[in-house]
Amino acid sequence: MSRKQSLSGFHEWLPAERIVEQHVLDTLRRTFELHGFAGIETRAVETLGQLLRKGEVDKEVYAVSRLAEDQEVAEGVREPKDPSDPKRLALHFDLTVPFARYVTENAGHLAFPFRRHQIQKVWRGERPQEGRAREFTQADIDVVGDGTLSPRYDADVALVMAEALGALPIGDVLIRVNNRKLAEGFHRGIGLEDTTGVLRNIDKLEKVGVEEVARLLQEEVGATEEQARQALALAEIRTPDTAFVEQVRALGVEHPLLEEGLTELADVVDTLHRRAPGRAVADLSIARGLDYYTGTVYETVLVGHEQLGSICSGGRYDALAAKGNRTFPGVGLSIGVTRLVMRMLSQEMAAASRSVPTAVYVALTHDDDWARGQDVAAALRGRGIAAEVAVSAEKFGRQIKHADRRGIPYVWFLGADGAPDEVKDIRSGEQVEADAETWAPPAEDLAPQVTRTGE
Amino acid sequence: MSRKQSLSGFHEWLPAERIVEQHVLDTLRRTFELHGFAGIETRAVETLGQLLRKGEVDKEVYAVSRLAEDQEVAEGVREPKDPSDPKRLALHFDLTVPFARYVTENAGHLAFPFRRHQIQKVWRGERPQEGRAREFTQADIDVVGDGTLSPRYDADVALVMAEALGALPIGDVLIRVNNRKLAEGFHRGIGLEDTTGVLRNIDKLEKVGVEEVARLLQEEVGATEEQARQALALAEIRTPDTAFVEQVRALGVEHPLLEEGLTELADVVDTLHRRAPGRAVADLSIARGLDYYTGTVYETVLVGHEQLGSICSGGRYDALAAKGNRTFPGVGLSIGVTRLVMRMLSQEMAAASRSVPTAVYVALTHDDDWARGQDVAAALRGRGIAAEVAVSAEKFGRQIKHADRRGIPYVWFLGADGAPDEVKDIRSGEQVEADAETWAPPAEDLAPQVTRTGE
């Protein structure tokens, strides 16, 4: 992790680090699939028209162009294109916009409610800073309905993420849940109509503090001191169960949207509290800034690493996608895998037991033993034991040293003149007779293990 | 596969198709890891300086730029950049160039010979045509040495690929092997010094035929009729074992490089013939066009689908990478996964048994059974059985229909008033009593199976 990356914002892992990342990805995929989420991928590029469809976008976009065309423009042989041409290609900056397009394009081939997971890289041309990358992997789940989508899925997707994150070697996570209708209804109820403006400033609470947000609400959204006080009073409410309902009511604000939001959030929080106690809270400060959610919203912190920000966020859209007069409501969450893995590695929260998949290194006594060595390796591989074969009969000491330097735990010695083979655990030095058709390492040595290393 | 893609050259799979692709990727990764190849990923972008380092590049490159900067240039607020600025970013067009950079950058952290696999998307801005994509997945293996690398790895990597491809539901493959030294030595031996020019034309043999290549060799490379005849005589040689050596000698050409190449290729082909009989041939027409190999070269055809072109190609580089006066020789192969999967799907060579991971759909008798349904699903998932729960107590007929439409094989019914639960195989209609702590579906129903469907 202390290595300098040759392109700022683009992280590359060493083999042992990649094993940790791969473990995270495999664990997430496994959990998503156990819950019935089908994996899809979308292309890396979208048209600018698609990417900017929702109007204001706060993500920096990387545009893509054929180098040959750029050169022709520079030579004056080709007319320059409008850089904002909606048909221009750009790299996707999240997986939600591409998924929405995928759903509308393939609606006739999908069975709804469609449960999909999607684990892919995304790109943002932002100025790199601590914890931010320009290329990073996201792991998303969403459930999408055709026309309607039961509110039960709002709790369902949060439970899946709680289970998926809980299966990682990272310690406790806490999902903070809010509801846009609740917040917007409350703000309307106290006379603040620019609810987006209010949410954008509430979103800054953790960064700039209560007093500054109170000032911003008055300056930027035109709130009175009392309105700002009430908006902040709402944002302070945080309960592990449905107790938040009474606390909101105690603020004395009334609005039909607020009622709707209270009911929806109470249902979600009640379910989470029963099925994943301690893993989720109602937190009425959660705003999700510029994202276009219409109901439940989620953020997730890694307990003890709150300053890392949200590692898993999402929410519900009344219309994730639309096609003619057909709408597809959706609810889902997205894990920022790269940010999480960067933290796991930089804080040494988890580590791989070795940096190679190989469990057994077959040594050679004579150069022409290679074919016999391959037979042994093939027998081991046939039983799921990763093995590789030396290419020359160096001194055993050198061959053992080679295996050790690569982190391979076992060295296999071919028996001479009908003597049985032997296998040596090069950590303990223990050496035993072994048959390639039956010998197996202990389960923890079979493949690299990724475990919590404590903090 | 008959769906129109919304961006030409960028393929997206439906869930059932993605299961086939995922099966291919998982199978390859599994085989690579059993052979001790560590997985790495490199960033999607390289600098143009890196990408064009080898001089002439026949791949169309996609350049990448921050949209905000492009707009500033269009508005005249920012100076336009030279489109060929070596610091400019572009998407990688293969995994070899990025891997070479990775090796030089991280040489101090790697143990050599370094065995790595890399499965990632690459992009080429070429005009899309049958079988060509602008975005596609490659699966590469390479072994890289520090200074030297045993010729045994040339056979090793080919055997790994033969095993990996053999584990896919695609039928037989045939690896065609040649050696650049053999070809170049032969061409020099008959007086043709522009060996790159000769190879570039020999590479067109399958496309344009013997007569046209003979003409091209004379016109473009300045060969005499006799030199063209001899070059083509060499390219006609094809033997499953080392018999090619005698056939080359019979052509009466002598050159030290030819001898070196003959010995190297004979060693590789002999090993492949012994360890994977019928899977490989010496084929002296294999040229690998503009790629900068220096020894063994490989192409692989899918038997019965030869017109698809090579699905797995590669070779040996004396200096895959260099750092100061330290060189890193390498040998490896790359599978064009997207092209292969496109063929598997378009020709219905393989199919997934269902399009969702879910094995069991838990039906609800009453709306408030949801929590009980989740308990059942959790018990099943705990034993590796993918399950999801209905969100409302529609009529059983509708719930069964819903599971059926999504391809879920089993529906679970919660027992009422202490009666045992029951599970129904909705394909056979068979319904039995079941306990979520012990019941399991047959192995073939546990997860979607990808199998050959015959042709």
Side-chain angles (χ1 to χ4, degrees), chain A residues 336-348:
Chain A
V337 175
T338 301
R339 178 191 290 208
L340 182 60
V341 173
M342 281 169 70
R343 175 59 64 123
M344 290 168 71
L345 293 170
S346 69
Q347 306 275 306
E348 297 179 354

Side-chain angles (χ1 to χ4, degrees), chain A residues 84 123 195 245 295 302 420 422 424:
Chain A
S84 310
W123 294 269
T195 55
V245 177
L302 185 54
E422 296 193 1
K424 182 192 197 82

Side-chain angles (χ1 to χ4, degrees), chain B residues 181-203:
Chain B
K181 290 177 192 164
L182 189 164
E184 291 185 24
F186 186 91
H187 298 146
R188 293 230 160 87
I190 58 174
L192 290 172
E193 292 298 322
D194 177 7
T195 55
T196 309
V198 177
L199 287 178
R200 193 175 51 235
N201 285 298
I202 293 289
D203 217 12

Side-chain angles (χ1 to χ4, degrees), chain A residues 375-425:
Chain A
D375 290 338
V376 165
L380 293 170
R381 289 178 201 127
R383 295 186 299 111
I385 302 162
E388 52 185 275
V389 184
V391 289
S392 66
E394 295 176 296
K395 283 188 180 147
F396 280 156
R398 279 183 65 95
Q399 295 190 62
I400 291 169
K401 200 171 158 194
H402 173 70
D404 190 34
R405 202 161 35 84
R406 296 194 54 230
I408 304 171
Y410 295 91
V411 176
W412 193 280
F413 301 100
L414 302 167
D417 306 321
D421 293 354
E422 296 193 1
V423 66
K424 182 192 197 82
D425 180 334

